[in-house]
Amino acid sequence: MAGGLLLGGSIAALLTTALPAQGPSSGFDDPPPDKIVIKVATVNGSGCPQGTTAVAVAEDNTAFTVTYSDYLAQAGGNSDPTASRRNCQLSLIVHVPQGFTYAIASADYRGYALLQPGASAVQRASYYFQGSSGTVYKTHNFAGAYNDNWQATDTTDWAQLVYAPCGVQRNFNINTELRVNAGTQSPGKVSFMTMDSTDGDISTKYHLAWKECPGK
């Protein structure tokens, strides 16, 4: 967990003139050459006990994936009241090729939920750079009756992307949360929501957007 994941990147076309009009004037649709390194600085939270979370970087530098194996919130029945909310805060040290910066353009989450009639659940995430006042929040609501896999995608318009500061090493923080509310469900029934699949793992993918730093 403490070690970085170092992967070679492919040579990418620098699309300085091919971006849509609403995009950043110096943005890129493809990642820059060289490589990206992501190290997990800290992992804290009831949804990600030690040893249950891993991070991997895509070979083409366009995304990284966070994998969970013990992320579950539940309410009702004999559930502990504190079990209705689970969260995980990831603090990542991200090294990008010199002269470039990055932002999170979108994030894909998935898992499984069993919500009784009258119950509800919320999946929430926030994204921010260490020392920055800009925090982006995204929320997805689910209502019972529900008994199926779930998927949620957070997307950010080009014009609203929050990029890492150029020339400064700032940790990137992702705080995710699952919350289940028993609501008016029948007494004795249990509702739950997980970020895991049948094999015990769930991949949450974060897609990167790139741009050139001034003065490069």
Side-chain angles (χ1 to χ4, degrees), residues 179-191:
R179 189 187 295 267
V180 176
N181 185 348
T184 60
Q185 73 180 27
S186 300
K189 296 287 188 178
V190 175
S191 293

Side-chain angles (χ1 to χ4, degrees), residues 4-208:
L5 290 155
L6 177 64
L7 296 176
S10 58
I11 301 299
L14 303 184
L15 306 178
T16 56
T17 59
L19 286 172
Q22 70 269 27
S25 60
S26 57
F28 298 98
D29 282 341
D30 289 339
D34 204 348
K35 49 187 168 285
I36 181 173
V37 183
I38 294 181
K39 293 182 179 179
V40 179
T42 58
V43 181
N44 291 305
S46 53
C48 51
Q50 185 175 2
T52 66
T53 305
V55 179
V57 184
E59 292 185 9
D60 61 1
N61 292 358
T62 60
F64 64 91
T65 300
V66 180
T67 301
Y68 303 97
S69 60
D70 189 17
Y71 203 149
L72 178 148
Q74 66 180 42
N78 295 323
S79 303
D80 188 316
T82 63
S84 64
R85 178 184 179 273
R86 290 289 183 257
N87 81 297
C88 182
Q89 167 117 0
L90 293 172
S91 183
L92 306 175
I93 302 171
V94 183
H95 166 78
V96 297
Q98 185 175 3
F100 291 89
T101 185
Y102 73 98
I104 300 300
S106 67
D108 301 320
Y109 299 91
R110 63 184 177 90
Y112 187 85
L114 191 161
L115 303 176
Q116 304 292 341
S120 61
V122 172
Q123 184 270 323
R124 189 172 192 245
S126 62
Y127 312 89
Y128 64 97
F129 292 98
Q130 180 185 16
S132 172
S133 59
T135 301
V136 178
Y137 295 92
K138 302 287 184 179
T139 301
H140 301 274
N141 297 295
F142 301 83
Y146 189 99
N147 185 7
D148 205 348
N149 295 313
W150 63 268
Q151 181 167 337
T153 298
D154 296 343
T155 57
T156 303
D157 293 336
W158 275 104
Q160 297 177 331
L161 289 176
V162 178
Y163 283 88
C166 286
V168 180
Q169 180 65 63
R170 298 279 179 84
N171 286 12
F172 181 62
N173 299 293
I174 304 168
N175 193 357
T176 58
E177 176 185 343
L178 294 180
R179 189 187 295 267
V180 176
N181 185 348
T184 60
Q185 73 180 27
S186 300
K189 296 287 188 178
V190 175
S191 293
F192 67 86
M193 188 175 192
T194 74
M195 272 197 201
D196 65 10
S197 60
T198 54
D199 62 359
D201 291 331
I202 175 65
S203 293
T204 299
K205 183 172 287 187
Y206 298 87
H207 305 270
L208 302 175

